[in-house]
Amino acid sequence: MRQADRNARTKQNIKQSFIKLIENKGFSNITVSDITRDAAVSRGTFYVHYTDKYELLTKIEDELIMNITAALKNNLKEPLSNDYNADRSGATYRVFSQALEYVDSERATMHALFSANGDSQFFSQVKTVVDNLFTTQLSKNNGYFVNDIPIDYTKEIAINSILNIVRHWLDKRNPESPDELANILMRSRFMSPHDLIAFN
């Protein structure tokens, strides 16, 4: 096996052990010894790749943010057709679906970092990425956030609702597929709160 392949496998083993330990012990309670013991690697091997557990966390989070950003950008950059109303639905679904496919492939990692045992700042980092990308794209398509209520509250409602639904999905024992959740998110974007409640 080539050295590059051995390094990749070692880093993957360290990551898997780290994520498992976050779920079980919480990030603040983990030591490098815990990680190396669970991953069956020496401390020396760990330090070849990472300075400490904080650098390991940062590298994992940076990779997640980079790939989530790429998944969103690749779909947001596609121009809308002349039939805006019809295309808006398709574009929204496409953005959600592709991003959720990636999130699902990193489900264990995302769940651990979003959990109470994970990194409380990570949710905010993802939220900032989504906020910046959607605000930019909205402007490109001559859209804007309405100011019926202060803009900061409007954005909190729009963006937090998406991310909290995704976090709920990550918590589920028997989650929907990424495509199914994309449909739920897409439909929810065109429903107001009073559409979700009915009385006999």
Side-chain angles (χ1 to χ4, degrees):
M1 182 183 294
R2 294 182 307 165
Q3 185 62 41
D5 293 332
R6 282 196 294 270
N7 287 342
R9 188 173 69 175
T10 296
K11 291 169 77 172
Q12 182 62 23
N13 288 342
I14 289 171
K15 175 184 174 181
Q16 289 176 346
S17 292
F18 183 55
I19 295 306
K20 182 174 73 173
L21 288 163
I22 287 176
E23 289 278 18
N24 294 336
K25 296 184 66 172
F27 174 75
S28 60
N29 298 318
I30 296 171
T31 65
V32 170
S33 293
D34 291 330
I35 300 168
T36 56
R37 185 165 46 250
D38 191 88
V41 300
S42 69
R43 288 175 66 89
T45 298
F46 178 91
Y47 289 123
V48 165
H49 301 290
Y50 308 105
T51 304
D52 51 30
K53 69 175 185 177
Y54 298 98
E55 184 183 25
L56 173 57
L57 177 68
T58 297
K59 287 190 173 182
I60 290 172
E61 291 182 341
D62 285 350
E63 181 179 7
L64 291 169
I65 293 293
M66 179 183 70
N67 289 328
I68 290 170
T69 302
L72 292 171
K73 276 187 174 179
N74 287 342
N75 290 287
L76 283 171
K77 70 183 179 183
E78 296 185 27
L80 296 176
S81 69
N82 292 330
D83 187 358
Y84 176 75
N85 287 330
D87 193 64
R88 180 178 62 172
S89 177
T92 303
Y93 172 81
R94 187 173 61 242
V95 170
F96 287 147
S97 181
Q98 293 299 311
L100 290 170
E101 286 285 351
Y102 173 70
V103 170
D104 193 49
S105 74
E106 291 286 350
R107 173 172 286 272
T109 304
M110 295 290 294
H111 181 271
L113 295 178
F114 273 168
S115 74
N117 282 341
D119 178 9
S120 60
Q121 297 303 310
F122 183 61
F123 184 87
S124 296
Q125 291 179 52
V126 175
K127 179 180 169 184
T128 298
V129 167
V130 174
D131 184 353
N132 290 340
L133 287 173
F134 274 84
T135 300
T136 299
Q137 188 65 19
L138 193 63
S139 177
K140 284 182 180 179
N141 287 308
N142 298 316
Y144 56 91
F145 289 103
V146 297
N147 59 2
D148 292 350
I149 61 175
I151 297 299
D152 56 328
Y153 287 95
T154 300
K155 293 175 75 172
E156 284 293 310
I157 292 168
I159 295 167
N160 266 356
S161 63
I162 294 173
L163 294 182
N164 281 319
I165 288 171
V166 172
R167 181 151 57 180
H168 173 72
W169 176 63
L170 290 170
D171 285 339
K172 294 185 72 170
R173 290 184 179 275
N174 298 298
E176 294 81 2
S177 70
D179 276 348
E180 289 171 327
L181 186 63
N183 271 313
I184 291 170
L185 285 171
M186 183 182 70
R187 291 174 62 193
S188 74
R189 295 310 87 198
F190 305 111
M191 298 174 70
S192 60
H194 68 76
D195 291 327
L196 303 176
I197 299 172
F199 295 93
N200 292 326

